[in-house]
Amino acid sequence: MKRIWKRIAVAVSAVVAVVGAFVGSGAAGGTPIQDAAGGALSASSTAIAPDGPAFSIWSVIYVGLLAYAIRQCFRTADDDRHARLTLPVVLSLLLNAAWILSVQFGFLWLSEPIIVALLAVLVWTFVLLRRSRPSGVVEAIVTDGTFGLYLGWVCVATAANTAAVLTAAGFRGFGLGQDVWGVVVALVAGLVGVLLAVWGRGRLAPAASLAWGLAWVAVARLDGPLVSTPTAVAAVVAAAAAVVVTLVVRARAGWRGAPAAVAGGAKATHFAH
């Protein structure tokens, strides 16, 4: 019965997150996130804000989260990997919805602790996934791939959200200017991508979504009302560094070969997650 309630909790939380995303998109009559809170999260709000199309990655993430919620309902009773993921997954889904609501209702200051907590929970999830290999290709894509994308994107989103909150609060960057802060934050995001690549043994999904977000930061800084060529260049360099290091680490892991202890179909998924 306890296992059943855990599965229900994940499924319900996934529905809550998707409904929150629907509301946040403005499709339900609400204000789109980029226009909410006085436009604090729009592409022209800060030097590290990504351009609008960047947010389309949420569609992929939400599809993955729904697929995960459905898949975990049919997992075997002795699947410890999914049992350990229940709490952080539920928390991440609820925090996601809470972040959207905080912005929708104009509580921009509240969105900051929420998204930082979301990032922390996703790091926790990443740690748990890193400790074991997926059981097959589907597991690698649905679980490791989804939460890898989720983590990488939220790294960029946290940076953008923090910049928006500080700007709305009147912070002016100690007089250093938007170019300096844009370059610094972009390079820090790239460093995070490099660390995830090394620590995660070359997992592709976090690097892909982080690079996606940084690429759209570069696009936003090359056109529109808030142009910053130095930030755009730094964002491209940071994205490239995260991707290259990930591929190098992945290749080295492949050359060494999969651990002998890998059982069943896990070896075949070595490059899938």
Side-chain angles (χ1 to χ4, degrees):
M1 182 61 69
K2 184 177 179 180
R3 289 193 295 269
I4 292 174
W5 280 111
K6 284 184 176 181
R7 297 175 190 183
I8 292 175
V10 171
V12 171
S13 300
V15 172
V16 170
V18 171
V19 170
F22 184 70
V23 172
S25 69
T31 305
I33 288 296
Q34 62 268 25
D35 298 326
L41 296 173
S42 66
S44 60
S45 60
T46 67
I48 202 64
D51 205 4
F55 297 93
S56 62
I57 194 173
W58 275 119
S59 299
V60 180
I61 294 172
Y62 283 126
V63 168
L65 291 172
L66 285 175
Y68 174 81
I70 294 170
R71 180 173 172 77
Q72 63 89 38
C73 286
F74 299 98
R75 63 181 172 84
T76 58
D78 60 347
D79 191 342
D80 290 336
R81 191 176 201 244
H82 285 279
R84 295 191 193 98
L85 288 174
T86 298
L87 181 56
V89 167
V90 169
L91 287 175
S92 75
L93 293 168
L94 295 180
L95 285 168
N96 191 327
W99 180 84
I100 292 173
L101 290 175
S102 68
V103 175
Q104 280 287 327
F105 286 103
F107 298 119
L108 187 63
W109 60 271
L110 183 59
S111 71
E112 183 62 15
I114 291 175
I115 200 168
V116 170
L118 173 59
L119 179 60
V121 168
L122 289 174
V123 171
W124 177 16
T125 305
F126 190 71
V127 170
L128 294 177
L129 289 173
R130 180 179 174 274
R131 291 176 180 172
S132 61
R133 291 188 179 278
S135 59
V137 174
V138 174
E139 169 74 4
I141 294 173
V142 172
T143 304
D144 298 72
T146 295
F147 288 99
L149 289 176
Y150 200 178
L151 173 60
W153 171 251
V154 170
C155 286
V156 176
T158 301
N161 196 86
T162 301
V165 170
L166 290 174
T167 300
F171 179 66
R172 293 297 175 261
F174 303 113
L176 295 179
Q178 69 173 21
D179 287 349
V180 174
W181 281 108
V183 169
V184 169
V185 175
L187 293 179
V188 169
L191 177 60
V192 169
V194 169
L195 293 176
L196 284 175
V198 175
W199 184 45
R201 305 187 187 100
R203 296 193 176 217
L204 303 177
S209 55
L210 190 142
W212 168 268
L214 287 173
W216 282 105
V217 169
V219 171
R221 298 293 73 79
L222 291 174
D223 189 22
L226 192 57
V227 172
S228 174
T229 302
T231 301
V233 172
V236 171
V237 170
V243 171
V244 169
V245 172
T246 297
L247 294 176
V248 169
V249 172
R250 193 72 183 200
R252 287 174 62 85
W255 296 332
R256 288 196 302 269
V262 178
K267 185 178 293 187
T269 66
H270 182 58
F271 291 95
H273 65 287

